[in-house]
Amino acid sequence: MTSRPKPQTKFRHFHRKDAHSDTIETHPADAAEKGGSAKEKKLPQYNSDGHEVNHAGHRVTRGVAPDGESGRMYFHPWHFLRICWKSTSHASQYTNFLWPFTLAAMVLHFAFPEHELWIFITAYIGMVPAANLVGFAGQELARKLPKVAGVILETTFGSIVEIILFMVLISGGNQNVSVIRAAILGSILANLLFCLGLCFFVGGIFHPQQTFHEAISEVGSNLMLVAAVGLVIPTIFYNSLAGGRLTYAVAESECLRISRAAAIILLVAFCVYVWFQSRSHHGLYEDILEADEERDHDRHKDLAKPKLTFTESIAAVFFALTFVSFMAVFLVEQIEFMVHEHGISDAFMGLILVPIVEKVAEHLTAIDEAYDNQMNFALSHVLGASIQTALLNTPLVVMVGWGLGYDMSMNFELFDAVVLILAIIVVGNFLRDEKSDYLEGVLCVFVYVLVAVSAWYYPDPVSETGTSSAVTVANATANTTTGVGVASEVASALTESATQAAETLARMMFA
């Protein structure tokens, strides 16, 4: 009696009902190496008058990419509201239901300032739809540009929320320096672990295995590691020499100088990175992203969606930034209250709460791209946002603090710096094989949860204000100066006492 051969089990994954048949890969292993090969480029289409038209038959405006042509001009209020409400995806659209919290935060702040807890809660939730509108408006502008320039612009608009929040914090003085430090590293951790993990997980649920190009993963992860080294060098310097070969005051002063020099170097590195992507290797990235667009499972729906005009996109950016600025101010004003009255540690506030709300737009965009099997686009947004935080946003806030006379150094808490390096190493190993699945995504999220738990229990250091996740330069300098002043007073008192004793002894001897 012969036994029947056991049927081979295949990986079971969810299937999307809205996916176009041309974008479904029946055999993922047979997909083109390095992220898939692009189909033959379609030639421009022209109407009977000889003008170039896009897929919808709209005449393409000069200087505008065909995919971003709306077919309209100027500003149309009804179309503007309808398009902004639909947003880019269902998840982004659902965030629009949170707009009442944005309005409630403004009412509470100006009419009922004594309700500090509710102001913080409504402002925190109200930041989500405002940040999402910034991301959507940036995406609409990016559609009208070449692929690489569009991705850079879209990532930059996603970072504007963070830049505004940092500028509001640094304008508050030295007492907010520590919160900025924690938020800088927390933003990078949220991108690399939480957002990238969700991208891998969501993409892996609907696709057995996703691939991406090494030019996206290797360049991004290597540059991120170099940027992290530049960020933590001042921290290593201070912790190695303070209290030993250098006094705390001297170590703080030297660390501040090193931070300002590092900020200039990181800004130059960011300019080189942008030049590499947009000019010298523009063709490589253009081909990669165009190939990724062909893998978009709902590209036929995206092309059919109505688009904002250039004027409407600018107006959307203006309105969104206005609300984001208000929410950022309201949040910053209530941080002290939340830390003192409700026991939220500064490390948890800076590492977890602030970065999640400021990066919500980028997270939704990247997860939606992974859902559409556009992993190169998703990685470009995740790694690009992290690189911008390290190479652009951090140097900017250091130099603005320098100009305002505040001691904004990159002397991070040692715990934060070590966690950052470990996170980059973990993500770099996951990106090395140029493939992803849902298991890697779950592991990344688990690492982020471990960081969040540790941040919740991480104690605040002893300082004059008691609200810094890392002892601020101002407080440390003040404490050191106070200690020196006390020592000087004691020495002066001892000298005066010795002088009086000598005079008394001399009178007794020569009386």
Side-chain angles (χ1 to χ4, degrees):
M1 183 176 179
T2 60
S3 60
R4 295 182 179 179
K6 295 182 178 180
Q8 295 182 352
T9 58
K10 296 182 178 180
F11 175 81
R12 295 182 178 180
H13 59 280
F14 296 96
H15 294 279
R16 293 183 51 174
K17 296 180 181 180
D18 61 342
H20 196 279
S21 58
D22 294 340
T23 63
I24 298 177
E25 296 174 1
T26 55
H27 302 285
D30 298 335
E33 191 178 0
K34 310 300 183 188
S37 59
K39 298 180 181 180
E40 294 184 2
K41 294 184 178 180
K42 297 180 180 179
L43 296 175
Q45 301 176 6
Y46 296 91
N47 58 15
S48 57
D49 297 330
H51 297 293
E52 183 182 356
V53 295
N54 64 359
H55 54 278
H58 299 313
R59 178 178 172 179
V60 178
T61 305
R62 184 177 180 181
V64 175
D67 291 350
E69 179 58 57
S70 64
R72 299 180 292 110
M73 295 181 66
Y74 306 119
F75 188 88
H76 302 267
W78 171 245
H79 290 286
F80 174 78
L81 294 175
R82 183 168 57 88
I83 295 172
C84 289
W85 175 261
K86 290 185 176 181
S87 195
T88 56
S89 62
H90 291 299
S92 298
Q93 184 177 358
Y94 293 151
T95 62
N96 289 325
F97 288 100
L98 301 177
W99 276 108
F101 288 92
T102 307
L103 302 178
M106 300 184 71
V107 172
L108 287 172
H109 175 80
F110 292 108
F112 306 97
E114 67 276 6
H115 298 292
E116 296 174 299
L117 175 61
W118 286 107
I119 293 175
F120 179 85
I121 293 174
T122 53
Y124 189 86
I125 300 176
M127 176 73 83
V128 175
N132 179 68
L133 182 56
V134 173
F136 173 70
Q139 189 172 10
E140 287 294 305
L141 279 176
R143 290 178 183 272
K144 305 178 187 304
L145 302 175
K147 298 292 184 299
V148 178
V151 170
I152 295 175
L153 178 67
E154 190 175 350
T155 306
T156 303
F157 271 105
S159 298
I160 284 181
V161 179
E162 184 174 80
I163 294 175
I164 291 175
L165 194 59
F166 286 173
M167 294 304 121
V168 173
L169 282 167
I170 193 61
S171 65
N174 287 327
Q175 65 270 18
N176 291 329
V177 167
S178 55
V179 180
I180 300 174
R181 290 178 185 150
I184 288 170
L185 301 191
S187 175
I188 299 174
L189 292 175
N191 279 324
L192 293 181
L193 295 176
F194 184 69
C195 181
L196 187 62
L198 289 180
C199 289
F200 285 171
F201 177 76
V202 173
I205 290 295
F206 292 93
H207 314 282
Q209 194 174 61
Q210 293 179 296
T211 59
F212 38 84
H213 200 283
E214 63 180 354
I216 303 291
S217 60
E218 288 296 321
V219 173
S221 59
N222 292 339
L223 187 58
M224 195 64 247
L225 183 59
V226 173
V229 171
L231 289 177
V232 302
I233 280 179
T235 304
I236 298 173
F237 176 88
Y238 178 82
N239 286 276
S240 299
L241 300 177
R245 282 174 284 178
L246 295 178
T247 63
Y248 287 100
V250 174
E252 288 283 1
S253 177
E254 297 299 327
C255 182
L256 183 59
R257 292 191 180 96
I258 294 174
S259 299
R260 290 168 177 172
I264 298 174
I265 295 173
L266 292 177
L267 275 177
V268 175
F270 179 75
C271 295
V272 174
Y273 164 68
V274 172
W275 179 268
F276 178 85
Q277 264 199 330
S278 60
R279 299 296 297 178
S280 65
H281 289 65
H282 172 269
L284 172 63
Y285 285 94
E286 191 84 18
D287 292 340
I288 294 171
L289 297 180
E290 285 183 356
D292 229 34
E293 281 192 337
E294 299 297 335
R295 299 162 61 183
D296 186 359
H297 280 200
D298 60 356
R299 177 170 169 77
H300 57 294
K301 290 188 174 182
D302 288 337
L303 292 176
K305 287 181 179 179
K307 310 293 190 302
L308 292 178
T309 65
F310 182 81
T311 305
E312 292 170 346
S313 300
I314 296 298
V317 169
F318 174 78
F319 290 136
L321 291 181
T322 301
F323 284 110
V324 163
S325 301
F326 276 114
M327 296 302 106
V329 171
F330 300 164
L331 280 176
V332 169
E333 288 180 352
Q334 304 305 325
I335 286 179
E336 288 285 333
F337 170 79
M338 296 299 296
V339 170
H340 283 297
E341 301 297 331
H342 295 277
I344 298 178
S345 67
D346 299 314
F348 189 80
M349 177 70 72
L351 281 176
I352 307 300
L353 290 182
V354 173
I356 285 181
V357 72
E358 74 184 21
K359 292 290 185 181
V360 63
E362 294 174 359
H363 293 180
L364 291 176
T365 299
I367 293 170
D368 181 61
E369 288 166 345
Y371 175 68
D372 292 335
N373 199 28
Q374 294 180 287
M375 284 307 296
N376 288 311
F377 271 103
L379 280 180
S380 296
H381 282 110
V382 173
L383 297 177
S386 302
I387 291 170
Q388 282 203 358
T389 298
L391 300 184
L392 177 64
N393 301 354
T394 302
L396 279 180
V397 72
V398 170
M399 299 187 75
V400 170
W402 187 3
L404 295 177
Y406 298 133
D407 300 326
M408 178 61 217
S409 71
M410 291 189 284
N411 182 19
F412 300 103
E413 187 76 9
L414 190 59
F415 166 78
D416 301 346
V418 173
V419 167
L420 174 66
I421 298 296
L422 293 177
I424 293 175
I425 293 174
V426 169
V427 172
N429 279 277
F430 285 160
L431 297 177
R432 185 175 299 171
D433 61 352
E434 301 164 25
K435 298 176 184 177
S436 66
D437 50 52
Y438 74 90
L439 176 61
E440 294 179 347
V442 170
L443 294 178
C444 284
V445 175
F446 283 172
V447 173
Y448 186 75
V449 172
L450 288 174
V451 174
V453 173
S454 302
W456 177 262
Y457 290 103
Y458 196 82
D460 296 333
V462 178
S463 63
E464 292 180 358
T465 60
T467 58
S468 58
S469 56
V471 180
T472 63
V473 176
N475 288 341
T477 306
N479 293 338
T480 305
T481 305
T482 303
V484 173
V486 171
S488 300
E489 292 176 3
V490 171
S492 178
L494 290 174
T495 303
E496 183 177 358
S497 299
T499 302
Q500 292 176 356
E503 291 176 354
T504 303
L505 182 61
R507 284 196 299 268
M508 292 174 62
M509 291 177 63
F510 296 102

